[in-house]
C-alpha cells in the first residue's frame, strides 16, 4: 500500500469506529425515551456513553420535540420530562475528529405515519446513492417519498458532507427538488437527513439556544471571557452545549464572546406553522456501486 492509500484506509477506519459507537449508543438510548423520563438524563447518557465506548460527542445530543426540528438540547439542571411528544434524537460521535451523525424519531404522540415518511425517504435515498449520482436526484426522491404520505419535507434543512472536525461540510444534500445538484464520488462521506411534517415544510429560528460553536479567534481582554474561550478550545469548530461549560460567570462571558464575533449560537429550529416534525438520518460512505451505512 502506498502511504496515501494507507492514510485513507486509516481515516475510513475512524469513521467506521465512530459509526459503530454511535449505533450502540443509539440502540441503548432509544429505550430510555419514555413519557415522564427526564430529557437531561437521556442527553447525559448519550454523551457519556459515547466517551465510555471510546468516542467523543461530535455535538450535544439533540432532543427536539414536536414542532422543534433540531438544535434543542437541555440546559444544566433542566427538569423537563418527555410527554406525549414526537421526539427527534440526533446524535454525533467522533474519533479523532471524524464524525458519524445519525438521528431517529421516537413517537409518543400517536402519529406513526409522520415518522414512517422520513424513514422511508431516508432509505429511498440510500437505495439510489452510488458514485456518479447527482444530489438533485436524492432531493427528488426524498420529496416524492414524503409527499406520497400527504406530508411535506422541510425544504430549508439539508443533509451535508462531513469532514474532520466539521459537522456540516459541503456538499449540501437537498430534501426537495432542486435544479442543480453536485455529483457524488466514491469515498465521499455524507449525512442524509430527511425531515417530514404536517406543517408548512419550513423552519425558522426559535427564541432559545443551548448549543454554540466557535467561529473566530481574536484576543479578548476580559478574564472571564478569556477563561471561557480556553474551555471551548477543546471542541475546535464543533458545536458544544452551554451545560458543558463551567457555570462561573458563564452568561456574562458568553455574551462578551458573542458580541466579539468569536462564538455564535444555534437557535432551536421550529416548524413555521407549528407542524409535527419527524427526522431520520444516517451517515454513509459513497461506494462504486452503492453506499455503506456507517450508523446502522
Ligand atoms: Mn444529525
Ligand atoms: Mn446531520
Amino acid at each position: 500500500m502506498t502511504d496515501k492509500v494507507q492514510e485513507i484506509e486509516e481515516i475510513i477506519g475512524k469513521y467506521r469506529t465512530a459509526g459503530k459507537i454511535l449505533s450502540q449508543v443509539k440502540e441503548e438510548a432509544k429505550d430510555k425515551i419514555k413519557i415522564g423520563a427526564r430529557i437531561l438524563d437521556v442527553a447525559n447518557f448519550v454523551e457519556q456513553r459515547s466517551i465510555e465506548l471510546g468516542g467523543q460527542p461530535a455535538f450535544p445530543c439533540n432532543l427536539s420535540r414536536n414542532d422543534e426540528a433540531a438544535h434543542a438540547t437541555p440546559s444544566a439542571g433542566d427538569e423537563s420530562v418527555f410527554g406525549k411528544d414526537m421526539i427527534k434524537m440526533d446524535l454525533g460521535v467522533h474519533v479523532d475528529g471524524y464524525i458519524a451523525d445519525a438521528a431517529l424519531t421516537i413517537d409518543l404522540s400517536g402519529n406513526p405515519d409522520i415518522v414512517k415518511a422520513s424513514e422511508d425517504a431516508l432509505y429511498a435515498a440510500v437505495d439510489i446513492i452510488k458514485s456518479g449520482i447527482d444530489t438533485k436526484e436524492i432531493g427528488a426522491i426524498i420529496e416524492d417519498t414524503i409527499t406520497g404520505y400527504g406530508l411535506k419535507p422541510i425544504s430549508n434543512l439539508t443533509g451535508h458532507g462531513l469532514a474532520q472536525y466539521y459537522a456540516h461540510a459541503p456538499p449540501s444534500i437537498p430534501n426537495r427538488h432542486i435544479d442543480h445538484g453536485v455529483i457524488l464520488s466514491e469515498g465521499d462521506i455524507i449525512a442524509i437527513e430527511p425531515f417530514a411534517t404536517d406543517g408548512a415544510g419550513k423552519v425558522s429560528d426559535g427564541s432559545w439556544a443551548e448549543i454554540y460553536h466557535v467561529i473566530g479567534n481574536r484576543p479578548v481582554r476580559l478574564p472571564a471571557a478569556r477563561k471561557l474561550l480556553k474551555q471551548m478550545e477543546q471542541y475546535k469548530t464543533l458545536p458544544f452545549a452551554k451545560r458543558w461549560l463551567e457555570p462561573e460567570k458563564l452568561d456574562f462571558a458568553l455574551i462578551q464572546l458573542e458580541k466579539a464575533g468569536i462564538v455564535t449560537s444555534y437557535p432551536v429550529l421550529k416548524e413555521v406553522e407549528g407542524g409535527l416534525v419527524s427526522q431520520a438520518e444516517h451517515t454513509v460512505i459513497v461506494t462504486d456501486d452503492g453506499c455503506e451505512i456507517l450508523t446502522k
Side-chain angles (χ1 to χ4, degrees):
M1 274 198 294
T2 65
D3 286 356
K4 188 71 194 164
V5 170
Q6 196 175 351
E7 194 192 326
I8 291 170
E9 285 299 318
E10 268 175 33
I11 290 172
I12 290 178
K14 286 173 183 173
Y15 276 114
R16 286 200 180 109
T17 305
K20 271 197 198 116
I21 294 168
L22 185 150
S23 303
Q24 186 177 337
V25 174
K26 185 174 63 168
E27 284 310 304
E28 291 177 9
K30 72 181 183 195
D31 299 334
K32 299 183 185 295
I33 298 179
K34 293 183 190 137
I35 292 173
R38 231 163 61 121
I39 304 174
L40 180 59
D41 289 344
V42 175
N44 281 337
F45 173 81
V46 165
E47 294 157 9
Q48 283 164 14
R49 192 75 181 121
S50 302
I51 296 167
E52 275 171 27
L53 294 172
Q56 288 290 326
F59 47 81
C61 175
N62 286 212
L63 290 158
S64 309
R65 288 176 288 167
N66 304 322
D67 63 337
E68 298 166 350
H71 299 168
T73 202
S75 58
D78 198 325
E79 293 292 337
S80 311
V81 297
F82 297 110
K84 289 181 180 170
D85 299 318
M86 179 168 289
I87 299 127
K88 280 72 64 185
M89 178 169 73
D90 193 331
L91 62 164
V93 172
H94 79 82
V95 170
D96 193 24
Y98 298 103
I99 301 161
D101 179 6
L104 80 168
T105 301
I106 288 127
D107 179 43
L108 307 175
S109 76
N111 289 280
D113 277 8
I114 303 179
V115 179
K116 214 165 168 297
S118 55
E119 280 175 2
D120 276 5
L122 171 61
Y123 287 103
V126 163
D127 275 348
I128 62 165
I129 291 172
K130 60 177 181 179
S131 176
I133 195 169
D134 191 315
T135 54
K136 77 177 190 181
E137 295 174 61
I138 301 173
I141 204 161
I142 287 173
E143 177 163 2
D144 292 347
T145 304
I146 292 171
T147 55
Y149 280 83
L151 299 166
K152 288 183 179 146
I154 304 275
S155 61
N156 60 337
L157 290 177
T158 66
H160 50 87
L162 291 153
Q164 192 181 24
Y165 289 109
Y166 283 92
H168 287 112
S172 85
I173 312 292
N175 286 325
R176 61 180 179 91
H177 284 270
I178 57 162
D179 291 333
H180 302 286
V182 298
I183 305 294
L184 298 180
S185 317
E186 189 176 1
D188 286 350
I189 314 260
I190 53 168
I192 318 291
E193 50 179 315
F195 294 79
T197 183
D198 59 0
K202 225 181 148 185
V203 290
S204 61
D205 285 352
S207 57
W208 59 280
E210 286 290 332
I211 302 177
Y212 291 81
H213 74 142
V214 173
I215 49 169
N217 201 348
R218 63 195 67 166
V220 277
R221 271 175 305 148
L222 278 162
R226 213 179 317 162
K227 237 176 100 184
L228 184 60
L229 189 56
K230 194 93 196 129
Q231 289 175 51
M232 294 171 178
E233 272 170 9
Q234 62 184 302
Y235 308 117
K236 302 194 186 335
T237 49
L238 293 174
F240 53 85
K242 191 173 160 187
R243 65 183 149 78
W244 293 355
L245 305 166
E246 307 228 348
E248 197 201 339
K249 291 187 183 167
L250 176 56
D251 284 302
F252 168 74
L254 199 51
I255 288 168
Q256 304 306 318
L257 293 178
E258 277 191 275
K259 270 194 197 157
I262 295 168
V263 162
T264 192
S265 68
Y266 288 95
V268 173
L269 297 171
K270 297 188 74 165
E271 213 290 322
V272 293
E273 274 182 3
L276 287 173
V277 179
S278 72
Q279 176 198 17
E281 179 177 24
H282 273 310
T283 298
V284 306
I285 305 185
V286 179
T287 61
D288 190 33
D289 58 352
C291 68
E292 174 189 335
I293 301 178
L294 295 176
T295 50
K296 226 175 220 160

